[in-house]
Amino acid sequence: MSQRGESLSSPGTTYVKQYGSMGRKLKVNVNMIELKKYPEQNIYQYDVDLVPERGMFKKLPAPEFMRSVFDQAMRTHRTTKLKGIPLVYDARKIAYAPSPICNSNEELVLDVSYTESGRSEKFIIRIREVAVINTTILTEFIKGKSSAGVADIQPALTALDLAIGSVVRSQMVGFNRSFFTRTQALPTSGGLELWRGFSFSVRPGIERLFLNINTAVTAMYTPGSLLEAITNILELRDVNQVRGGLSPQMVRTIGSYLRGVILYLKHRGIQGKRKFSVKGMTTKPLDKESFEWEDPTQEGKTEMVTIEKYYQRRYNIKLNYPFLPGLVGRKNAVFPIELCDIGENQRYKGKLDDKQTADMVKFACQKPSENMSRINQAISNLGIGTSPVVKAFGMEIPNRLAEVEARVLPAPTITYGSRSREPSLAPSSGAWNMRDKQVTTSGKPLDYWAVLVLANRSYMAEGRVQNFVTTLVRICNQTGYRINHPQPPIVYGNPNADIGREMKKACDSIRLRPGDAPQLLLVILPTTNAQVYQTVKNCAYTTLGVQSQCMQAKHVQNANAQYCANLCLKINAKMGGTNQSLVGQNLQKMLHSKPTLVMGCDVTHPAPGEHGKPSIASVVGSTDLMGLRYAATLIQLPSRQELVKLLMEAVQRHLRLFFSSTKVKPRHIVFYRDGISETQFPQTRDRELTEILRACSSVEAGYKPEVTFIAVLKRHNTRFYPLTSRDGDRTGNCVPGTVIDRSVTLAPYFDFYLFSHAAIQGTSRPTHYVVLHNDVGFTADELQQLTYSLCFTYAICTRSVSLVPPVYYAHRVADRARCHLVEMGTEFDDASTSMSEYYTAGTAVGSRTATDASGATKLIKINTRLDTTMYFM
């Protein structure tokens, strides 16, 4: 039996803390240190106004600069005005102290002199109290005696994080709660290198606080010669290759790389190093770019000189690469690239390319034992627990990771088609084999389809393509999905031409009966080029309304049966079939024998450095009683907005689709919501639960099914490690089915961490599920087993997945939605100045999207022939 805790009131609902008991019990390590003591006294919050002694900042300087000035002031006034009380600072506007540093109605003023690059400047820091944080709210929260949410305890947690961060920052380079070191850095392409580090944050548990420590990696600018970096990012053997000028694509590449980076100009004509940031690049090379200059040796005489001649006459510097453009800085000053260095300790915030991403994944991938060993080493070396600042804030931190209780849930039984040699099986270690099995239900047989080859005919001969198609047809028929037309038209197209026209040509090659439409295009792509793939998908989803299955040309060369079987699973799902299932009786028991609409929702945002693109909300809903088949709805949101508008319309649509398919109304809705943080729980639940209920009542007056609303968190830093090799899998990770719902979970919430997949490499990350509303009265055992069982139903693989499938599908839908957007990458735009024309760092103008990036909220339309199918698989 599951154990129920006491009810805890919270806006909009009542949380009930629950613990499960099903499964084999064991203990695991967690990457957290239990705080033996935490603050019981007040913490004082201060507003910090740091300004130059003369004038004002036009905009707040970089955090590193603000922190350096502030730290200098702390050293100067520590024993006098600050009375020895430590003050920790967020490098913007807020600081915290464990005791008052001035009276609440007073303003403390500190003056400080700060020297950088040989230049000294004076600053004034005004500090005034703005809040007193009563830390008893932490005690009440972790004991489950408070109606406060995570957002309410965040100020206290932030103060403790800053106190710990002040210790780590003295030994590592810090960005927010993450800290890195260049030791063991890995050079990658594009003028970048990868650094290892750690994240540190204080986390609330059950009746205790923890310090969470996790390994981290980040991309950094490689310090040193800018000329060398640009040679690297343009993939040049020698700079002389661009004597003829830079192409527009090269300009965009350089502009993306330089956005926000701090450069240093260093030559014998100036004292020390001059720091500047780039706002643009000249459109002409330095030996052609000219301006009006007054030679100081000939007072009153002005003349037009090129930048090259200026540096030669003014500083006696002969430029080696005058054929390169110059960098435009403050007041339109132009600096030669060859005289610039990239400053140290600068984090790259742009989007990584495929090579850099692959290097990052490989660099970050560590076995659980290695991961845990690095954390233990950091705990020992950093000496956080012995820090006077940490002790002043009332924390006592030992040097030992905590152990917590866990359980391993039993895997569900998987079923296949009745004509399979073994129609049901019990998966082992989260994986199984489909050999001699047929899909549970076959999709609509394939009669009208074609193959579009976007590769050179000399490389991809028609006979080789037909050989692959023959193997694919044979495997599909053996697996239970019927292909009636074994020799579809094979059409060759040009990937550099109008892709839509090439696809239309392939569709037109299919002999159709009146009233019928093409069912599928098998598209063979020459490379992994994302632009071609996205264009194919966009045309298929919107214009043609045909299912598309893309594959790389390299797989045609060897018609591998396993690869063809994987394609079969995708095609069957798109054509309306189901590949595997759970035992119906077992699933219905978990769902309390009520017709249940299972939904998933996610919001995805533009990648770092992508400006002007909208956020996309994706909502999926099941269309059968087993939660196996799903339809999707897409909603365009203003950029980086999290709350989902138009959710009511989306839920209405899925209620109708469920009824249309099953002929019954759902009596229960299980809504898995991804993409929200712990501080957003109350407002997201209250707003979206209201939208769900409004959708139900709008479909039919008085219709009010029970709703279970579950937040799904994947981006967290909690990791667990088996105590012994016997308790782990072959990679050293926790085995599939491991669930943790004690000690390190959130005291006021019904929540749990679940390992539902077998890791292939690296350290596995569990998914954190938090139940925010529970009308049906799920016990912990029921909901944990339901969620784990659903992870075995992901349509296109024979493994359990790390994320409950409706959320996984929502991810895929949102990812596919990006195919609707024409590329709007950042670049240097044309602009004119008083000096001349130059490229400015900005977002490309003139780009257009199939959706409106202006901020409008609207549903994104998919072709009606596809919009109720699993086209996104």
Side-chain angles (χ1 to χ4, degrees), residues 495-509:
N496 299 315
D498 183 336
I499 299 292
R501 188 178 63 222
E502 303 294 282
M503 293 175 67
K504 178 70 164 53
K505 182 172 67 175
C507 287
D508 290 343
S509 71

Side-chain angles (χ1 to χ4, degrees), residues 576-643:
T578 55
N579 294 326
Q580 74 262 19
S581 180
L582 301 172
V583 177
Q585 184 179 359
N586 295 347
L587 178 63
Q588 290 307 313
K589 183 179 178 182
M590 285 186 275
L591 293 172
H592 292 203
S593 300
K594 298 177 180 178
T596 301
L597 169 61
V598 183
M599 302 189 70
C601 177
D602 183 35
V603 179
T604 61
H605 304 291
E610 291 185 335
H611 304 283
K613 289 187 178 181
S615 292
I616 301 291
S618 52
V619 181
V620 303
S622 59
T623 56
D624 67 334
L625 295 172
M626 293 293 292
L628 300 175
R629 294 205 49 76
Y630 287 81
T633 303
L634 282 165
I635 306 169
Q636 177 183 315
L637 300 172
S639 186
R640 307 200 183 279
Q641 177 175 302
E642 195 60 67
L643 293 175

Side-chain angles (χ1 to χ4, degrees), residues 637-652:
L637 300 172
S639 186
R640 307 200 183 279
Q641 177 175 302
E642 195 60 67
L643 293 175
V644 180
K645 294 182 179 179
L646 299 183
L647 180 61
M648 185 182 82
E649 289 86 341
V651 175
Q652 282 176 336

Side-chain angles (χ1 to χ4, degrees), residues 435-455:
R435 189 179 294 116
D436 298 325
K437 293 179 179 60
Q438 293 197 349
V439 294
T440 303
T441 60
S442 176
K444 188 174 182 181
L446 201 51
D447 294 302
Y448 306 119
W449 64 304
V451 180
L452 174 61
V453 185
L454 295 176

Side-chain angles (χ1 to χ4, degrees), residues 52-64:
E53 185 181 53
R54 296 180 180 178
M56 297 290 292
F57 292 127
K58 288 186 177 179
K59 68 175 184 177
L60 218 54
E64 296 78 13

Side-chain angles (χ1 to χ4, degrees), residues 188-193 220-222 225-239 242 246-247 249-259 261 281 327 337 342 348 351-353 355-356 828:
T188 185
S189 59
L192 303 179
E193 56 190 25
M220 303 285 288
Y221 286 95
T222 303
S225 166
L226 176 61
L227 183 66
E228 186 177 322
I230 288 179
T231 304
N232 191 333
I233 65 176
L234 295 182
E235 299 180 349
L236 304 174
R237 292 187 307 275
D238 185 274
V239 182
V242 292
L246 298 178
S247 69
Q249 180 57 47
M250 289 177 173
V251 172
R252 286 192 291 269
T253 300
I254 295 172
S256 177
Y257 177 77
L258 291 179
R259 182 165 290 104
V261 71
M281 189 162 62
L327 301 178
I337 291 173
I342 299 170
Y348 180 70
K351 184 178 181 180
L352 300 180
D353 63 26
K355 168 69 165 58
Q356 293 163 344
F828 279 174

Side-chain angles (χ1 to χ4, degrees), residues 194 196 215-217 359-366 371 762-763:
L194 306 178
R196 295 192 192 277
T215 56
V217 295
D359 286 345
M360 175 76 85
V361 170
K362 186 176 180 181
F363 188 64
C365 182
Q366 290 186 303
N371 187 288
T763 301

Side-chain angles (χ1 to χ4, degrees), residues 808-827:
Y808 211 140
Y809 294 146
H811 278 310
R812 288 184 70 95
V813 172
D815 183 58
R816 295 295 185 270
R818 295 288 165 196
C819 299
H820 299 298
L821 306 179
V822 176
E823 180 59 38
M824 296 193 305
T826 54
E827 61 180 69

